Amino acid sequence: EAGVTQFPSHSVIEKGQTVTLRCDPISGHDNLYWYRRVMGKEIKFLLHFVKESKQDESGMPNNRFLAERTGGTYSTLKVQPAELEDSGVYFCASSRPGGIVETQYFGPGTRLLVL
Amino acid sequence: GNSVTQMEGPVTLSEEAFLTINCTYTATGYPSLFWYVQYPGEGLQLLLKATKADDKGSNKGFEATYRKETTSFHLEKGSVQVSDSAVYFCALSDGSSNTGKLIFGQGTTLQVKP
């Protein structure tokens, strides 16, 4: 069974540009999460999808961030326009449908650098 | 709100030394507690978990006990190896919501020297 995959692995863009990150969860996992680790600090929750619906987007920093999960499969996270403080590692995780203590399986992350 | 605090790193040990990485938490309700590990160049992997007070999670020689009275979940290993060099994250599931989102500590870098 394939794990959670993320694309690209690295992205370097200039301030003001747009970047789109993609996450493919494990097949059959209804829950999909986005997290971010900035500057070696703690990993912070961004949002949670259940299938194609946004269950919780309380961690999204501002309206420059847009997440979608059309069809309930893969998800994209778009940053437009990117700012310097958006640099960091963006992780995606997925888990099976069921209780909230289901294990979350993480992807390798996308390292975003905004210059 | 809920939070997790880990000991500052980096931690540098010699091979076969005893490891403790402290983790304390603040939470309402009854969270589940986790340790995740990130090896160089890889994603986060679940190392172990505990879902209720006094539970002990264990895996690959690592152990952690869910201590409600001290709100702690310290990670221990009796004899570390060079291959244990990684970043370790303590986390809790936010039981105050129904999303299962994880709240992480800042991570502790462990370097084991031969």
Side-chain angles (χ1 to χ4, degrees), chain B residues 35-49:
Chain B
W35 277 99
Y36 278 84
V37 59
Q38 185 180 22
Y39 297 104
E42 299 184 13
L44 290 165
Q45 301 176 24
L46 178 66
L47 182 58
L48 52 84
K49 70 179 183 182

Side-chain angles (χ1 to χ4, degrees), chain A residues 31 33 35 37 40-45 48 55-56 58 89 91 100-109 111, chain B residues 32 34 36 38 41-44 46 49 51 87 89 93-95 97-107:
Chain A
N31 294 298
Y33 301 82
Y35 295 87
R37 189 183 191 206
K41 295 185 178 179
E42 70 271 25
I43 300 169
K44 287 195 173 181
F45 167 81
H48 169 214
Q55 184 76 11
D56 180 354
S58 61
V89 182
F91 292 102
I100 62 173
V101 293
E102 288 292 330
T103 296
Q104 294 184 27
Y105 296 87
F106 282 76
R111 285 153 182 77
Chain B
S32 292
F34 305 83
Y36 278 84
Q38 185 180 22
E42 299 184 13
L44 290 165
L46 178 66
K49 70 179 183 182
T51 58
V87 183
F89 295 91
S93 66
D94 187 351
S97 73
N98 61 354
T99 73
K101 67 183 180 185
L102 295 173
I103 295 172
F104 286 88
Q106 67 267 40

Side-chain angles (χ1 to χ4, degrees), chain B residues 10-70:
Chain B
V11 174
T12 302
L13 296 173
S14 297
E15 207 165 21
E16 299 184 0
F18 184 85
L19 169 70
T20 299
I21 300 178
N22 290 337
C23 171
T24 57
Y25 68 90
T26 301
T28 55
Y30 303 95
S32 292
L33 301 174
F34 305 83
W35 277 99
Y36 278 84
V37 59
Q38 185 180 22
Y39 297 104
E42 299 184 13
L44 290 165
Q45 301 176 24
L46 178 66
L47 182 58
L48 52 84
K49 70 179 183 182
T51 58
K52 62 183 186 295
D54 299 326
D55 268 2
K56 178 187 284 187
S58 60
N59 186 25
K60 298 182 181 180
F62 291 89
E63 294 184 338
T65 301
Y66 188 164
R67 302 284 188 199
K68 191 170 177 63
E69 63 276 13
T70 55

